[in-house]
Amino acid sequence: MSDIADRVKKIVVEHLGVDTDKVKDNASFIDDLGADSLDTVELVMAFEEEFGVEIPDDAAETILTVGDAVQFLEKNAG
Amino acid sequence: MFDLTGKTALVTGATGGIGEGIARALHERGATVTLSGTREEKLQALAADLGERVHYRVANLSDREAVDALVPAAEEAMGSLDILVNNAGITRDNIFMRMKDDEWDQVMEVNLASAFRLSRAAIKGMMRRRYGRIIGITSVVGVTGNPGQANYAAAKAGMIGMTKSIAREVASRNITANAIAPGFIETAMTDALNDKQRESILQSVPAARLGTTLDIAAAAVYLASEEAGYVTGQTLHVNGGMAMI
């Protein structure tokens, strides 16, 4: 597992207060992890802060699962 | 109570009567304030008069680029933005049947669209810091209507609806959104009234006087304070009783 994936999962666990083993790549923030739409905005803000990137709104709207976030950040961060 | 020491505020329309009153009051309670307005000399003079903890930025709120640059500039100058006061407003009065598209559009742009864009920009940082106060200066006419002011009344009513929606969305993040609805306040706008108009207005005001900018500023200090944290989505009418809604 990549370092980016670890960091993403840590943020998700902290922010949504869910168990680590629930935070799988295909887990949807809203459907599987109990996030509301405001939580998803905050997650994106947390990713931006952690990875020092800017995630534009149109990209943010396509980040629906943990894997989406990891993929986006692997491509665009660092 | 109502101490704003350490808080940061942006006030638009800070060179107008009500905006200046609000900026002075927030500053007096200890807040660091960024003044925004269209007239540089007036901003400069007010900033000089307030002394420390003051920044200012010239911005024409009908210019979207200027609007989008305003919150980042205020955050950079002050380190954060805790309190946003959407006060700037213009009037382009005309009877409804004669109202031009342009008169409608200008009022919507400055009075409502800029408040939307500034609030959207400000909320991001407020969410991060889990603290924020968004205050919109609306008007009694946004609720009662007023002949000759369909555009202005629509924009002001729009602000109330927007405020309520923001309040519902972000209340759980310790951010409140409220509106203040002044009645007739002594400003350059009401100075333009003639004696007869003034008298007829006063007949409809149980308090039998026009309001002062201080009356509005006091409401803003209250809504900006930590103590008002359980008040959100509300419109505080400050109108001497002329409309009880």
Side-chain angles (χ1 to χ4, degrees), chain B residues 1-9 11 19-35 46-47 49-54 83 213-215 217-218 220-222 224:
Chain B
M1 281 183 124
F2 313 129
D3 181 16
L4 301 177
T5 303
K7 295 287 191 281
T8 51
V11 181
E20 178 180 336
I22 291 170
R24 282 183 183 280
L26 297 179
H27 184 266
E28 193 189 323
R29 303 305 300 174
T32 299
V33 180
T34 297
L35 313 165
L46 178 56
D49 192 35
L50 291 176
E52 291 181 354
R53 292 183 282 111
V54 182
I83 302 159
T213 56
L214 211 59
D215 292 320
V221 166
Y222 169 64

Side-chain angles (χ1 to χ4, degrees), chain B residues 164-223:
Chain B
K164 290 176 178 175
S165 302
I166 294 171
R168 285 185 186 273
E169 283 191 23
V170 296
S172 63
R173 268 60 171 182
N174 204 20
I175 301 168
T176 68
N178 291 287
I180 298 170
F184 283 103
I185 307 299
E186 301 257 20
T187 64
M189 258 196 231
T190 49
D191 283 348
L193 300 168
N194 63 37
D195 283 353
K196 209 174 147 203
Q197 286 171 315
R198 191 173 272 262
E199 202 172 303
S200 103
I201 285 166
L202 286 181
Q203 275 176 2
S204 67
V205 181
R209 66 169 177 90
L210 295 183
T212 67
T213 56
L214 211 59
D215 292 320
I216 306 306
V221 166
Y222 169 64
L223 292 175

Side-chain angles (χ1 to χ4, degrees), chain A residues 15 36 38-39 41-42 45-46 48-49 54-55, chain B residues 120 123-125 127-128 130 169-173:
Chain A
H15 194 87
D36 63 18
L38 205 55
D39 289 321
V41 172
E42 285 190 320
M45 284 172 16
E48 288 179 330
E49 228 157 82
E54 195 165 323
I55 305 177
Chain B
R120 184 179 58 184
I123 275 180
K124 213 171 175 184
M127 293 256 293
R128 275 208 179 98
R130 288 282 191 273
E169 283 191 23
V170 296
S172 63
R173 268 60 171 182

Side-chain angles (χ1 to χ4, degrees), chain B residues 41 94 150 236:
Chain B
E41 327 77 72
N94 206 343
L236 180 48

